[in-house]
Amino acid sequence: MSATRKPSVLFVCVHNAGRSQMGAAFLTHLGAGRVEVRSAGSAPAATVNPAVVEAMREVGIDISAETPKVLTTEAVQSSDVVITMGCGDACPYFPGKRYLDWTLDDPAGQGVDAVRPIRDDIEQRVRNLLTELGVRARA
């Protein structure tokens, strides 16, 4: 990444109601404004999964006002890193973009107890991503 420009990251999952919302929330929180963050879904749900909202609240991050967004070609084109989380081939591919596929359990239909380990896995992956991007995570 250029020293004068913030890196941009797009998180994509099918419904944009769980995994990608958690990824975006952790990157927004831990990146403290030093990363441009987006999330989207190939088939967005109507609302964010309530168990995901609760699990994130437990770690001090409020995503209750977030809404699932539709994946657009423009969102992919304007991102440096695209992280897919189970969206299959629905994500457009552009040469020169960095694509990461994070294999994670889907929190859809799960309770908070099942969401916690997914949340914790995503947090660790986001911390590792920040290190790779050369961005210091907020303490």
Short mmCIF file of all heavy atoms in Angstrom, two decimals, residues 1-8 33-36 80:
data_model
loop_
_atom_site.label_atom_id
_atom_site.label_comp_id
_atom_site.label_asym_id
_atom_site.label_seq_id
_atom_site.Cartn_x
_atom_site.Cartn_y
_atom_site.Cartn_z
N MET A 1 0.84 -1.19 0.00
CA MET A 1 0.00 0.00 0.00
C MET A 1 0.88 1.24 0.00
O MET A 1 1.94 1.26 0.60
CB MET A 1 -0.89 0.07 1.24
CG MET A 1 -1.88 -1.07 1.43
SD MET A 1 -3.18 -1.14 0.21
CE MET A 1 -2.58 -2.44 -0.83
N SER A 2 0.38 2.24 -0.59
CA SER A 2 1.07 3.53 -0.61
C SER A 2 1.01 4.15 0.78
O SER A 2 0.03 4.02 1.49
CB SER A 2 0.37 4.44 -1.63
OG SER A 2 0.55 5.77 -1.32
N ALA A 3 2.07 4.84 1.15
CA ALA A 3 2.11 5.47 2.47
C ALA A 3 1.14 6.64 2.56
O ALA A 3 0.80 7.09 3.65
CB ALA A 3 3.52 5.94 2.78
N THR A 4 0.68 7.16 1.42
CA THR A 4 -0.20 8.33 1.43
C THR A 4 -1.67 7.95 1.32
O THR A 4 -2.52 8.82 1.39
CB THR A 4 0.17 9.28 0.28
OG1 THR A 4 0.01 8.58 -0.96
CG2 THR A 4 1.58 9.79 0.42
N ARG A 5 -1.97 6.69 1.12
CA ARG A 5 -3.34 6.28 0.92
C ARG A 5 -3.70 5.14 1.87
O ARG A 5 -2.90 4.24 2.08
CB ARG A 5 -3.52 5.83 -0.53
CG ARG A 5 -4.95 5.57 -0.92
CD ARG A 5 -5.04 5.25 -2.41
NE ARG A 5 -4.67 3.90 -2.75
CZ ARG A 5 -5.40 2.83 -2.53
NH1 ARG A 5 -6.56 2.91 -1.93
NH2 ARG A 5 -4.98 1.63 -2.91
N LYS A 6 -4.92 5.20 2.40
CA LYS A 6 -5.38 4.13 3.28
C LYS A 6 -5.67 2.89 2.45
O LYS A 6 -6.28 3.00 1.38
CB LYS A 6 -6.67 4.54 3.99
CG LYS A 6 -6.52 5.57 5.04
CD LYS A 6 -7.77 5.65 5.92
CE LYS A 6 -8.83 6.50 5.32
NZ LYS A 6 -9.94 6.74 6.27
N PRO A 7 -5.31 1.71 2.95
CA PRO A 7 -5.73 0.49 2.27
C PRO A 7 -7.25 0.33 2.41
O PRO A 7 -7.85 0.82 3.37
CB PRO A 7 -4.98 -0.61 3.01
CG PRO A 7 -4.62 -0.04 4.34
CD PRO A 7 -4.52 1.45 4.14
N SER A 8 -7.86 -0.33 1.45
CA SER A 8 -9.31 -0.56 1.52
C SER A 8 -9.58 -2.06 1.45
O SER A 8 -8.95 -2.79 0.69
CB SER A 8 -10.02 0.17 0.39
OG SER A 8 -9.53 -0.26 -0.86
N GLY A 33 -9.69 3.92 11.89
CA GLY A 33 -9.72 4.94 10.85
C GLY A 33 -8.56 4.87 9.86
O GLY A 33 -8.48 5.67 8.94
N ARG A 34 -7.67 3.91 10.03
CA ARG A 34 -6.51 3.81 9.14
C ARG A 34 -6.73 2.86 7.97
O ARG A 34 -5.84 2.67 7.15
CB ARG A 34 -5.28 3.40 9.96
CG ARG A 34 -4.88 4.46 10.99
CD ARG A 34 -3.63 4.07 11.75
NE ARG A 34 -3.79 2.87 12.54
CZ ARG A 34 -4.20 2.82 13.81
NH1 ARG A 34 -4.52 3.94 14.43
NH2 ARG A 34 -4.28 1.69 14.45
N VAL A 35 -7.93 2.27 7.90
CA VAL A 35 -8.29 1.37 6.80
C VAL A 35 -9.70 1.74 6.36
O VAL A 35 -10.58 1.98 7.19
CB VAL A 35 -8.26 -0.11 7.25
CG1 VAL A 35 -8.65 -1.04 6.11
CG2 VAL A 35 -6.89 -0.49 7.80
N GLU A 36 -9.92 1.78 5.05
CA GLU A 36 -11.28 1.97 4.53
C GLU A 36 -11.94 0.60 4.50
O GLU A 36 -11.38 -0.35 3.94
CB GLU A 36 -11.20 2.56 3.12
CG GLU A 36 -12.55 2.93 2.56
CD GLU A 36 -12.42 3.59 1.20
OE1 GLU A 36 -11.37 4.15 0.88
OE2 GLU A 36 -13.42 3.52 0.46
N ASP A 80 -8.76 -2.75 -2.23
CA ASP A 80 -7.44 -3.34 -2.44
C ASP A 80 -7.45 -4.83 -2.09
O ASP A 80 -6.78 -5.63 -2.75
CB ASP A 80 -6.39 -2.64 -1.56
CG ASP A 80 -6.26 -1.17 -1.88
OD1 ASP A 80 -6.11 -0.84 -3.08
OD2 ASP A 80 -6.34 -0.35 -0.95
#
